[in-house]
Amino acid sequence: MRQAISAMQTGDEAQAVLLLQGLVEAYPDLLSPWLNLGILRLRTGQLESADAALQQALRLDPENPVARHQRAIVLRHQGRFKEALALYQALLAAHPDHALGHRNLGILYDLYLNQPQQALAHYRRYAALSVDEQAESRVWIAELQRRIAAEDR
């Protein structure tokens, strides 16, 4: 597993896939190889296989916040917005301080569901939870507030 993670971190995606495929075949009941294979497939735009790997990860651990979050991103990319919304909501109900869950739910509400008030709430929560990304989220919040104010006129 260490070699696969190292390959992912250095951008050697082909090696990482080979290693992870070997791990899921040899140890189909281990969560980490499925989860990392799903993340890698998402990163390379292979949404169908990313979804399959992440679904398997969720079968092994239905409450896993990383698997829920990554699968919700896959669903969003596939245009399956209602399913993504339900998965984000379940994630945040179980893990209300999951910063990236709030960020990505805000994106879903903002860019795909046209629900700016809901997006704003999640962008604000993300900003409160994520020190490293506050500058980026402040821009999103200001832009969204501007758009909401323009719509109210």
Side-chain angles (χ1 to χ4, degrees):
M1 193 64 211
R2 282 189 215 128
Q3 290 175 325
I5 298 294
S6 177
M8 286 176 70
Q9 290 172 339
T10 61
D12 189 352
E13 293 164 352
Q15 179 66 16
V17 166
L18 287 173
L19 292 166
L20 290 169
Q21 279 298 147
L23 287 168
V24 298
E25 290 169 13
Y27 307 100
D29 294 332
L30 287 181
L31 173 68
S32 186
W34 287 110
L35 181 57
N36 283 288
L37 185 60
I39 291 169
L40 181 60
R41 295 292 193 192
L42 173 58
R43 185 189 305 170
T44 59
Q46 299 171 48
L47 298 179
E48 297 287 324
S49 58
D51 192 32
L54 292 166
Q55 284 185 59
Q56 180 59 30
L58 286 167
R59 278 190 280 281
L60 295 170
D61 182 1
E63 304 299 317
N64 186 281
V66 176
R68 283 180 170 181
H69 178 243
Q70 294 297 316
R71 181 151 193 263
I73 293 170
V74 169
L75 293 169
R76 186 185 78 213
H77 284 297
Q78 291 176 324
R80 297 163 62 186
F81 303 135
K82 287 183 183 180
E83 291 172 81
L85 177 61
L87 199 51
Y88 282 128
Q89 289 172 333
L91 165 67
L92 293 173
H95 304 277
D97 292 338
H98 194 283
L100 290 176
H102 284 286
R103 175 185 185 267
N104 284 297
L105 181 53
I107 290 169
L108 180 68
Y109 277 131
D110 185 10
L111 302 179
Y112 299 94
L113 299 178
N114 193 29
Q115 296 181 25
Q117 293 291 348
Q118 291 86 343
L120 185 57
H122 288 284
Y123 286 160
R124 285 180 172 149
R125 186 70 179 131
Y126 170 66
L129 292 169
S130 178
V131 175
D132 294 339
E133 304 296 332
Q134 282 186 356
E136 177 186 50
S137 58
R138 277 191 296 244
V139 171
W140 294 348
I141 290 166
E143 173 61 21
L144 197 49
Q145 287 173 325
R146 186 194 60 74
R147 286 184 9 228
I148 291 169
E151 289 174 6
D152 289 342
R153 288 185 208 150

